Amino acid sequence: MHTALPPLSSSLASLRCAVVGSRNPVKIAAVRAVLERVAPEVVVHGLDVGSGVPDQPWGDDETIRGARTRAQRALEAFADAELAIGLEGGVVETAHGGVRTCAWAVVVDRRGVEGVGGSLSMPLPPGVVARLRRGEELGLAMDAEASVTGTKTGRGAVGILTAGLVDRQAAYEPLVAYALAPLLTPTFWGT
């Protein structure tokens, strides 16, 4: 027997303006695709803000910190926004000497409510790992290894390594939805 889910937060359902802490079209499209499902009238803007972490974050903690900083800076800088979203991709050293991807989304609203969502864990091939260890950013390492350009603003490492089964936007959309949980179902969070 299924129980009814609580209704959507009226504040999120009436959301009119959101800002993404990036001008990357893939990140903006992922946020727009998710938010339009719960707030059809929302306008999503992108704003170039720093992450406060290296261009290639290492570890979940550093990657979350980058996403949080992007969201907070975007909310501070964009007065019309009711909600801000930071997305950050990173890499994580594995126990067996390999490296995997990670990606995190942080959502903050004007009341200070924050949500965090993450996933996109996929092993990276040895050639890419070697480039990362030399200090290259994942997108640039993938460009070089795959002989392409624009990995970061296109299909992403995930799109290349899954042969197109999942692209970067599709991989980011669940992260945004996960991060929205405290706003979507506030009765569970006391918000």
Side-chain angles (χ1 to χ4, degrees), residues 10-147:
S10 61
S11 65
L12 194 56
S14 63
L15 180 68
R16 296 285 182 239
C17 183
V19 62
V20 179
S22 174
R23 287 204 188 271
N24 185 314
V26 174
K27 293 179 179 183
I28 295 167
V31 169
R32 183 176 289 119
V34 173
L35 287 181
E36 285 179 345
R37 292 175 59 196
V38 295
E41 302 299 317
V42 70
V43 176
V44 178
H45 300 274
L47 185 64
D48 221 357
V49 296
S51 67
V53 299
D55 287 343
Q56 182 54 71
W58 280 81
D60 288 315
D61 291 340
E62 189 170 72
T63 308
I64 293 167
R65 191 167 59 251
R68 179 175 288 118
T69 300
R70 285 182 185 280
Q72 291 169 339
R73 287 180 176 174
L75 192 62
E76 290 168 7
F78 203 92
D80 291 340
E82 302 157 80
L83 184 75
I85 303 91
L87 285 156
E88 193 73 29
V91 295
V92 177
E93 188 84 35
T94 66
H96 303 291
V99 176
R100 67 169 173 84
T101 60
C102 71
W104 291 89
V106 174
V107 173
V108 294
D109 74 4
R110 292 277 174 206
R111 299 170 298 153
V113 175
E114 177 184 285
V116 179
S119 189
L120 189 56
S121 179
M122 177 181 64
L124 293 169
V128 172
V129 170
R131 288 176 175 278
L132 292 170
R133 292 190 194 289
R134 290 193 301 265
E136 287 185 39
E137 189 178 351
L138 177 58
L140 299 176
M142 285 304 306
D143 282 353
E145 289 293 308
S147 299

Side-chain angles (χ1 to χ4, degrees), residues 153-166:
T153 57
R155 58 189 167 161
V158 64
I160 293 169
L161 295 174
T162 65
L165 288 176
V166 179

